[in-house]
C-alpha cells in the first residue's frame, strides 16, 4: 500500500496474532487511503472477532471508519464477559474442537459440533442460520462476514479452552442435562427403557439412568463418572455465580 501512514497499537492479548516485528508498542502502518479500519486490523493478522473497541485519536470509531494520515489507533481486546445480543447464547464448534464440545455439553451449554470438515462456507452459513457463536482456531473462518458471531480458541488444551470460553461468554451452566454425543436434552429413564444398551455387568450394577431424547443414548454413573464430576465441579465453583 502506498497511502496515508497511521500508527496502530494492539492490546497485549492481541499481539500473538501479529508478526513478530509488530508485537511491541504502536507501529507505523501504511494504508491505501480507502480501506476501512476493520480491514486494516484484519490485514495485520487480528480477526475482528477478537478486537474490542477501536479508538482513534482518543475517540471510539466503528470498523467502517477509513483512517487518515497521522491517526493514532488503539485496538483493544474484547471486553469480558462478552455480550452476544439478539439470540440465546449457543455455540458451533468446528471439527478440531470435539473435546471442548463434549465438555460444554456436559455443562448443559447448547453446543453444535461438526465431526467432519464441511468447509468454512457451510460452517459460517450454519452459524448465521442458527445464530450460534462460531468457536474455532481457524482465523480464516473467523474472518467470514456471514458469521453470526465468532471467537478464537486460543489454547490447544481442552481444560484451558473450556475455562477461556466460560470466562469470555459466561453461559448459563446446567450440568448433566445434555447428551455429550449429539447435544440433545436428557430425560430420566428406567433400566427397562435402556436395557438394549447395557452389558451384563452394567445391567447388574446400576439402577439410575438417563436417556437422550434425540438420539436415544443411555447414560449412567460409570467408570469415568468421577472425572466428569471433577470437570463439572471446577466449572461451577469458578463460573456459576459470575454471570
Amino acid at each position: 500500500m502506498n497511502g496515508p501512514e497511521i500508527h496502530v497499537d494492539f492490546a497485549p492479548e492481541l499481539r500473538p496474532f501479529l508478526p513478530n516485528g509488530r508485537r511491541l508498542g504502536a507501529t507505523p502502518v501504511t494504508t491505501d487511503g480507502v480501506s476501512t479500519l476493520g480491514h486494516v486490523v484484519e490485514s495485520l493478522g487480528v480477526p475482528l472477532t477478537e478486537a474490542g473497541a477501536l479508538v482513534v485519536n482518543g475517540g471510539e470509531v466503528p470498523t467502517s471508519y477509513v483512517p487518515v494520515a497521522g491517526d493514532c489507533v488503539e485496538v483493544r481486546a474484547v471486553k469480558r464477559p462478552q455480550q452476544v445480543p439478539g439470540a440465546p447464547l449457543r455455540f458451533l464448534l468446528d471439527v478440531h474442537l470435539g473435546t471442548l464440545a463434549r465438555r460444554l455439553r456436559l455443562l448443559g451449554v447448547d453446543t453444535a459440533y461438526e465431526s467432519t470438515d464441511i468447509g468454512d462456507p457451510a460452517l459460517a452459513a450454519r452459524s448465521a442460520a442458527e445464530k450460534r457463536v462460531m468457536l474455532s482456531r481457524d482465523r480464516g473462518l473467523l474472518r467470514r462476514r456471514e458469521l453470526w458471531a465468532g471467537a478464537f480458541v486460543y489454547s490447544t488444551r481442552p481444560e484451558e479452552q473450556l475455562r477461556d470460553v466460560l470466562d469470555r461468554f459466561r453461559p448459563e451452566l446446567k450440568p448433566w442435562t445434555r447428551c455429550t454425543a449429539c447435544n440433545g436434552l436428557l430425560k430420566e429413564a428406567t433400566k427397562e427403557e435402556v436395557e438394549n444398551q447395557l452389558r451384563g455387568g452394567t445391567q447388574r450394577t446400576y439402577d439410575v439412568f438417563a436417556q437422550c431424547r434425540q438420539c436415544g443414548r443411555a447414560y449412567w454413573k460409570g467408570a469415568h463418572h468421577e472425572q466428569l464430576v471433577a470437570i463439572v465441579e471446577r466449572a461451577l465453583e469458578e463460573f456459576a455465580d459470575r454471570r
Side-chain angles (χ1 to χ4, degrees):
M1 288 187 281
N2 192 20
E5 184 178 87
I6 63 176
H7 288 79
V8 185
D9 189 15
F10 287 89
E13 299 94 323
L14 302 179
R15 290 175 186 164
F17 291 105
L18 307 175
N20 289 334
R22 297 188 184 274
R23 289 191 178 180
L24 295 176
T27 57
V29 175
T30 301
T31 69
D32 60 9
V34 295
S35 293
T36 66
L37 183 55
H39 176 80
V40 173
V41 169
E42 287 199 320
S43 72
L44 294 173
V46 178
L48 287 182
T49 59
E50 306 312 296
L54 303 179
V55 179
V56 176
N57 304 325
E60 189 170 342
V61 300
T63 57
S64 58
Y65 172 80
V66 178
V68 298
D71 275 350
C72 292
V73 180
E74 179 187 357
V75 183
R76 297 176 180 173
V78 171
K79 185 178 180 180
R80 298 188 177 206
Q82 182 177 349
Q83 301 299 313
V84 182
L89 183 59
R90 48 192 179 182
F91 298 99
L92 170 62
L93 279 63
D94 68 18
V95 66
H96 304 291
L97 298 176
T99 300
L100 175 60
R102 289 188 292 273
R103 293 188 179 191
L104 285 169
R105 291 170 176 175
L106 175 67
L107 295 171
V109 178
D110 188 343
T111 305
Y113 164 67
E114 292 291 347
S115 60
T116 57
D117 188 357
I118 65 173
D120 290 1
L123 283 169
R126 183 175 182 185
S127 166
E130 300 180 11
K131 294 181 170 57
R132 292 181 179 274
V133 179
M134 184 78 239
L135 300 182
S136 179
R137 287 181 50 78
D138 182 344
R139 301 184 200 181
L141 171 57
L142 295 176
R143 291 192 184 107
R144 298 193 71 91
R145 293 292 178 260
E146 61 269 40
L147 284 178
W148 167 255
F152 185 78
V153 177
Y154 287 79
S155 177
T156 58
R157 296 169 56 86
E159 58 272 23
E160 294 174 357
Q161 293 174 344
L162 179 63
R163 188 181 185 282
D164 184 47
V165 171
L166 297 182
D167 179 67
R168 178 166 175 170
F169 292 99
R170 310 286 170 84
E172 183 177 4
L173 304 183
K174 297 180 179 179
W176 318 109
T177 61
R178 286 190 178 272
C179 176
T180 57
C182 80
N183 196 44
L185 294 173
L186 302 182
K187 65 179 182 70
E188 293 182 359
T190 64
K191 183 180 292 188
E192 290 70 28
E193 288 176 308
V194 299
E195 62 183 353
N196 64 326
Q197 300 182 51
L198 307 179
R199 297 180 179 178
T202 301
Q203 192 168 28
R204 291 191 300 271
T205 306
Y206 300 98
D207 295 302
V208 178
F209 299 90
Q211 187 174 30
C212 177
R213 297 176 185 271
Q214 185 167 311
C215 73
R217 179 172 177 171
Y219 288 87
W220 60 91
K221 296 180 180 180
H224 301 293
H225 185 68
E226 289 187 4
Q227 298 174 25
L228 301 180
V229 169
I231 293 171
V232 169
E233 288 183 346
R234 282 196 299 269
L236 290 177
E237 181 179 359
E238 188 165 5
F239 296 105
D241 298 324
R242 292 175 51 189
R243 296 182 64 240

